[in-house]
């Protein structure tokens, strides 16, 4: 079984399989579900009770040069109405750097995701209108499936990445932290 198939199998047996069609219905341009929902679902599946990481929220990234905050808020509100027990973080990567202090600007959804803090977090998944699964994995899936916490090239020596990594290790001690200087 290849990594994408393994990822799909794990996510298909989780709340993510229920949430993805609802996100697709929003018709956000070039959207991906990425981040902690994907990462934590995989780690819980692989490491079981040893891993105390759960879905905090669903990170949905999209890209619309003409978009505005209202688009994000509408999507978040729509999803929250459908899934009141869950939180949603919907961000237009085209404007993300303009309103969040210290953030860089991106030229695509994928550019935004590949600049997230950790390689195992920079994993995107979505379904198309026919229900086919698609994946965006700029750093591959080895770190995710091997429980490796490693900063993306942009975040090597970033205190925020190191702090977040420490939190992962406290909740999921079977993970391994790698500070790989060779990514730069």
């Amino acid at each position: 079984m290849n990594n994408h198939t393994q990822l799909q199998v794990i996510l298909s047996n989780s709340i993510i399989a229920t949430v993805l069609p609802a996100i697709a219905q929003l018709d956000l341009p070039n959207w991906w579900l990425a981040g902690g929902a994907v990462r934590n679902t995989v780690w819980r599946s692989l490491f079981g009770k040893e891993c105390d990481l759960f879905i905090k929220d669903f990170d949905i990234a999209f890209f619309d040069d003409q978009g505005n905050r209202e688009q994000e808020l509408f999507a978040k509100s729509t999803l929250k109405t459908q899934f009141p027990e869950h939180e949603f973080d919907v961000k237009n990567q085209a404007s993300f750097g303009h309103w969040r202090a210290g953030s860089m600007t991106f030229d695509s959804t994928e550019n935004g995701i590949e600049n997230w803090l950790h390689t195992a977090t920079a994993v995107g998944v979505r379904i198309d209108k026919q229900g086919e699964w698609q994946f965006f994995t700029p750093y591959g899936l080895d770190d995710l499936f091997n429980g490796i916490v490693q900063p993306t090239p942009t975040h090597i020596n970033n205190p925020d990445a190191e702090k977040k990594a420490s939190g992962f290790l406290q909740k999921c001690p079977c993970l391994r932290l790698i500070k790989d200087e060779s990514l730069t």
Side-chain angles (χ1 to χ4, degrees), residues 60-123:
I60 302 155
F62 69 99
F63 192 88
D64 185 354
D65 269 333
Q66 307 306 311
N68 58 45
R69 271 309 284 251
E70 295 305 314
Q71 194 177 17
E72 297 172 353
L73 297 173
F74 175 77
K76 181 177 179 175
S77 171
T78 301
L79 291 167
K80 186 69 175 165
T81 299
Q82 291 177 295
F83 304 97
E85 66 281 4
H86 297 288
E87 297 299 321
F88 297 88
D89 191 13
V90 183
K91 296 290 185 270
N92 183 356
Q93 302 301 293
S95 61
F96 190 67
H98 298 298
W99 62 264
R100 188 170 183 187
S103 293
M104 62 182 77
T105 56
F106 305 117
D107 58 13
S108 68
T109 311
E110 292 81 7
N111 182 228
I113 292 171
E114 67 191 10
N115 282 289
W116 288 10
L117 291 178
H118 301 101
T119 56
T121 304
V123 173

Side-chain angles (χ1 to χ4, degrees), residues 25 62 103 128 130 165:
Q25 289 298 313
F62 69 99
S103 293
D128 63 18
Q130 292 76 38

Side-chain angles (χ1 to χ4, degrees), residues 11 19 33 42 44 58 79 88 105 114 128 131 145 147 174:
L11 299 180
V19 171
L33 172 66
V42 170
R44 285 282 299 173
F58 292 86
L79 291 167
F88 297 88
T105 56
E114 67 191 10
D128 63 18
F145 287 128
C174 46

Side-chain angles (χ1 to χ4, degrees), residues 3-173:
N3 280 348
H4 286 160
T5 302
Q6 183 180 4
L7 180 59
Q8 182 177 338
V9 167
I10 291 170
L11 299 180
S12 292
N13 291 305
S14 75
I15 184 65
I16 289 175
T18 304
V19 171
L20 280 179
I23 300 169
Q25 289 298 313
L26 295 172
D27 207 24
L28 294 167
N30 197 32
W31 68 272
W32 292 99
L33 172 66
V38 174
R39 179 198 63 228
N40 293 353
T41 299
V42 170
W43 285 347
R44 285 282 299 173
S45 173
L46 296 175
F47 303 119
K49 293 179 181 178
E50 289 182 57
C51 190
D52 201 26
L53 291 167
F54 298 93
I55 296 175
K56 182 182 114 192
D57 61 11
F58 292 86
D59 294 305
I60 302 155
F62 69 99
F63 192 88
D64 185 354
D65 269 333
Q66 307 306 311
N68 58 45
R69 271 309 284 251
E70 295 305 314
Q71 194 177 17
E72 297 172 353
L73 297 173
F74 175 77
K76 181 177 179 175
S77 171
T78 301
L79 291 167
K80 186 69 175 165
T81 299
Q82 291 177 295
F83 304 97
E85 66 281 4
H86 297 288
E87 297 299 321
F88 297 88
D89 191 13
V90 183
K91 296 290 185 270
N92 183 356
Q93 302 301 293
S95 61
F96 190 67
H98 298 298
W99 62 264
R100 188 170 183 187
S103 293
M104 62 182 77
T105 56
F106 305 117
D107 58 13
S108 68
T109 311
E110 292 81 7
N111 182 228
I113 292 171
E114 67 191 10
N115 282 289
W116 288 10
L117 291 178
H118 301 101
T119 56
T121 304
V123 173
V125 61
R126 65 182 175 199
I127 57 169
D128 63 18
K129 293 184 190 294
Q130 292 76 38
E132 296 295 320
W133 288 69
Q134 299 176 346
F135 304 96
F136 174 65
T137 57
Y139 306 102
L141 292 170
D142 289 347
D143 286 357
L144 180 64
F145 287 128
N146 293 313
I148 294 172
V149 182
Q150 177 171 216
T152 59
T154 307
H155 295 287
I156 291 174
N157 298 319
N158 177 338
D160 291 336
E162 292 175 17
K163 181 179 177 185
K164 197 152 217 168
S166 293
F168 295 157
L169 292 170
Q170 287 176 359
K171 292 180 179 182
C172 193

